[in-house]
Amino acid sequence: MKPEQTPYLDLRQIPLNALVAFEAAGRHCHMRKAAQEMFVSHSALSRHIKQLEARLNTQLFERKNNKLQLTAPGMRLLASVQKAFSELNNGLHLLDPTQVAGEVIIGTTGTIMLNWLLPVLADVQQQYPEISFKLRTLEPHQETLPAELDIALCLGCPNEPDKTVKKLYNEYYVPVCNPALLKGKTIQSVADLLTYPLLHDSLGQWITWFKHHKLDGRQSPQHTYFDYAYQAIEAARLGMGLALADIVEVSDDIRQGKLMQALDSVHPAGESVYLVTHPAPLMNYRTQLVLQSVLKNLDEKGARLE
């Protein structure tokens, strides 16, 4: 028995010029404007469209009230063609080393840098060895940023009126520790946390955590204080106690078994991470590539992106 045949031809049987003409006509919904863009006559453009419709045995355009409109199949094809052309354009950019080669300057907090950003940048550099990085450490809630930054990931909204500032995601905190500290068991209640050593950073998130649960965090048998969250998280990896960390920053550690979530409870910390970049028209292609990788990684980690 013969396999079922599709009524459509494969891409090799469709002239590329016809697809280019269709994309221009579909984008403008105006034959004259599309013809002018392609530097061809109106009749030549129309022939390309008719040729494509004949090959596909499908009407792609119709006229309503003397206006050119895409049919439903035409709208679906236009979306596919534009996506394919965009991918092709990206591939052509990658062939030009001047589009990729160069330096991307990134600023972020030490905790973000050490806990999830560096592995992302390592993957980018493996895929695009032409890209080099210069990294700058930012303080939490730093209002003014160095002008040289191409990308900044800030804890708290900075005052940068000449750049594009966008809230990226809200932080959600979970208590974490080395599995050996709890012998692999999960703590059953928030009050039970107070029987273990607590690891603090300068933002004092444990205080907010326990107040939210109407408990006094001072009842813990031992407290260790650090300047930065990444130091408290590293101490948690070493088994020194429980740290409170943003779930994005410790998701890889939890997956790899270096840390465990000590309590099945997630608390919004009231902190937000902001993305700061040059306006889109001023952003070079290599910065766009890096930014795409960063956003993709955050999405994979389950960050609640805005």
Side-chain angles (χ1 to χ4, degrees):
M1 184 176 180
K2 292 183 178 180
E4 183 179 352
Q5 298 295 314
T6 173
Y8 296 107
L9 307 173
D10 67 39
L11 184 60
R12 290 169 295 182
Q13 297 172 285
I14 299 176
L16 181 59
N17 283 343
L19 289 175
V20 174
F22 165 72
E23 192 279 331
R27 180 162 30 87
H28 290 289
C29 274
H30 196 290
M31 288 292 186
R32 180 177 57 80
K33 291 181 180 178
Q36 288 174 344
E37 179 182 296
M38 293 182 63
F39 299 102
V40 299
S41 66
H42 184 289
S43 59
L45 184 79
S46 296
R47 283 197 299 273
H48 282 310
I49 300 298
K50 289 177 181 177
Q51 182 185 26
L52 182 60
E53 289 179 326
R55 288 290 183 99
L56 298 176
N57 192 28
T58 302
Q59 183 181 357
L60 301 174
F61 293 94
E62 59 185 351
R63 285 199 172 272
K64 287 186 177 180
N65 301 322
N66 289 325
K67 291 185 178 180
L68 189 68
Q69 294 184 355
L70 286 160
T71 62
M75 287 189 286
R76 292 193 294 270
L77 180 62
L78 179 64
S80 296
V81 169
Q82 288 179 331
K83 182 178 179 181
F85 281 1
S86 176
E87 286 296 317
L88 180 60
N89 189 54
N90 287 342
L92 293 174
H93 274 304
L94 294 178
L95 294 177
D96 181 359
T98 64
Q99 295 286 332
V100 179
E103 187 176 70
V104 177
I105 306 174
I106 303 175
T108 192
T109 65
T111 301
I112 289 176
M113 187 184 299
L114 291 174
N115 283 309
W116 69 261
L117 183 60
L118 282 181
V120 177
L121 300 185
D123 288 343
V124 171
Q125 211 162 47
Q126 186 172 14
Q127 189 174 3
Y128 305 105
E130 306 96 327
I131 296 177
S132 59
F133 294 106
K134 182 184 288 184
L135 301 177
R136 294 285 183 257
T137 303
L138 304 178
E139 293 295 322
H141 307 121
Q142 182 170 327
E143 287 197 4
T144 304
L145 307 180
E148 64 177 345
L149 298 181
D150 296 305
I151 298 172
L153 298 165
C154 306
L155 186 65
C157 185
N159 182 22
E160 290 292 323
D162 296 329
K163 290 194 174 182
T164 300
V165 179
K166 175 188 175 184
K167 183 193 285 189
L168 196 54
Y169 64 91
N170 292 320
E171 290 194 322
Y172 287 83
Y173 275 48
V174 294
V176 294
C177 65
N178 187 308
L181 185 72
L182 305 183
K183 299 181 174 56
K185 297 179 181 179
T186 303
I187 292 175
Q188 298 302 310
S189 71
V190 177
D192 291 339
L193 294 171
L194 295 171
T195 62
Y196 293 91
L198 298 181
L199 308 170
H200 302 262
D201 62 61
S202 60
L203 294 178
Q205 297 294 355
W206 273 123
I207 297 173
T208 305
W209 172 278
F210 284 114
K211 279 186 177 179
H212 174 75
H213 292 283
K214 297 180 174 56
L215 292 170
D216 184 358
R218 294 173 298 180
Q219 295 176 1
S220 168
Q222 185 179 5
H223 300 269
T224 306
Y225 295 89
F226 300 91
D227 289 328
Y228 297 104
Y230 72 85
Q231 296 167 326
I233 293 171
E234 178 60 22
R237 293 187 188 107
L238 296 173
M240 291 178 63
L242 290 160
L244 201 56
D246 175 31
I247 188 65
V248 170
E249 294 167 354
V250 293
S251 61
D252 286 342
D253 282 301
I254 292 172
R255 178 175 51 82
Q256 295 166 8
K258 297 177 183 178
L259 291 172
M260 65 174 287
Q261 185 172 333
L263 183 72
D264 188 19
S265 178
V266 179
H267 177 64
E271 302 284 355
S272 299
V273 175
Y274 287 80
L275 170 67
V276 184
T277 63
H278 294 292
L282 302 179
M283 194 184 304
N284 59 49
Y285 189 65
R286 61 180 167 272
T287 300
Q288 293 177 39
L289 287 173
V290 174
L291 187 55
Q292 288 169 9
S293 295
V294 167
L295 296 178
K296 180 175 181 289
N297 184 269
L298 280 172
D299 184 59
E300 290 171 349
K301 289 181 184 298
R304 307 182 191 193
L305 298 177
E306 293 289 314

